[in-house]
Amino acid sequence: MPHLILIADIGGTSSRLALVGKDGVPADIQIHRNDSFAGFEAMIEADLAQREPAVVRTVGGAVLAVAGPADGELVKLTNRDWAFSKRAIRRHFGWQKFAAVNDFEALAYGVPALGPSDLVPVGQGVAEADKPILVCGPGTGFGSAGLLRIGRQFHALTGEGGRVRLGAANAEEVHILAHMLRELGPVAVEHALSGSGLARIHAILTGQTIAPEAVIAAAGRGEGDALATCHTFLRLFGRIAGDLALILGARGGVYLAGGVSAGLAPFFEGSPFREAFEEHPPFEARLAATPVNIITHPTPGLIGCGQLGGRLAKTLKPNLRVV
């Protein structure tokens, strides 16, 4: 009798898959490197093959969170050449229920289930009850989503904040933007605010071409050039997060997600992030009152997928297969 939902948080670099029942709590989490597979179906097949056959037979549906738009029939990753048809993948696996959502939509749904141990506050602020929540941040790209409470249920608002055009607010940012413009043409937010963006900023400022992980590691060792790069990155991040918070009216709080946010968590204190976040006249006081938290939970996307998967698990019917 089907009673489980397969959930997956599929990023540009790696994917996390788990199973969930009606309680919405992810179990048996498996992590895969996307480079090991040709596409979505191959990765899911490999994941299911690693699980107990008796358990796999009880999987009646799936929720896939993908790093890209998911509102059409054809779903494509923004930063990897992977795509699937919703109807075709559901038929391929014989799932009763299926949902595809943007990865930051899943993150947004997971925010209410996070606890204090999953978060690191950045500055002060108090969330206003039932006000919009913003989730945004850099990873392989830059994602953003909103969360609204309507009645007794939360509803996510998806967007593509990473593709908004990037501007400059001081001389250093003008210098960085000019370099990116020559290299890339019109510059989007995620050209700077992403893992590759961190490496790009470091190369522009220092002439050194190293991986973003190496920049963060060097900053952790106290190397001045790397720490300056991280602070420049965090100033840009703070300004963009403040922009998005004003657009959404995010008085319910701002949550910073993505692997780069978590990696840079030790450097937020003492950086220009909070100052740049609040420096949006004439709304400095509003943003100063807005709480900001870094999400440090290791699999926050799966938490949100679990919430959605739990809803689907409650609707599964005995022995019904898709044909």
Side-chain angles (χ1 to χ4, degrees), residues 131-133 244-252 286:
K131 296 297 184 181
I133 290 169
L244 295 174
L246 285 178
I247 290 168
L248 187 64
R251 298 190 184 195
R286 176 183 296 184

Side-chain angles (χ1 to χ4, degrees), residues 214-310:
V215 176
I216 294 172
R221 295 191 297 270
E223 296 183 18
D225 286 349
L227 188 59
T229 293
C230 291
H231 280 190
T232 296
F233 183 96
L234 289 171
R235 185 178 66 240
L236 281 168
F237 189 8
R239 179 161 58 81
I240 296 302
D243 291 346
L244 295 174
L246 285 178
I247 290 168
L248 187 64
R251 298 190 184 195
V254 173
Y255 293 81
L256 308 179
V260 179
S261 294
L264 290 173
F267 308 110
F268 276 79
E269 186 176 352
S271 82
F273 176 92
R274 187 77 205 200
E275 179 184 0
F277 176 81
E278 296 175 10
E279 192 178 32
H280 287 71
F283 295 106
E284 294 95 335
R286 176 183 296 184
L287 290 171
T290 301
V292 178
N293 286 279
I294 308 164
I295 299 175
T296 57
H297 190 285
T299 57
L302 281 185
I303 299 296
C305 283
Q307 298 298 301
L308 296 173

Side-chain angles (χ1 to χ4, degrees), residues 160-205:
E160 290 296 327
R163 304 309 301 178
V164 172
R165 291 289 179 250
L166 182 68
N170 60 34
E172 184 180 58
E173 292 177 9
V174 169
H175 172 66
I176 291 169
L177 193 62
H179 272 265
M180 291 187 179
L181 187 61
R182 287 194 293 270
E183 176 190 355
L184 303 167
V187 181
V189 164
E190 67 179 27
H191 289 147
L193 295 180
S194 59
S196 61
L198 179 64
R200 185 176 288 119
I201 290 171
H202 189 69
I204 292 170
L205 295 180

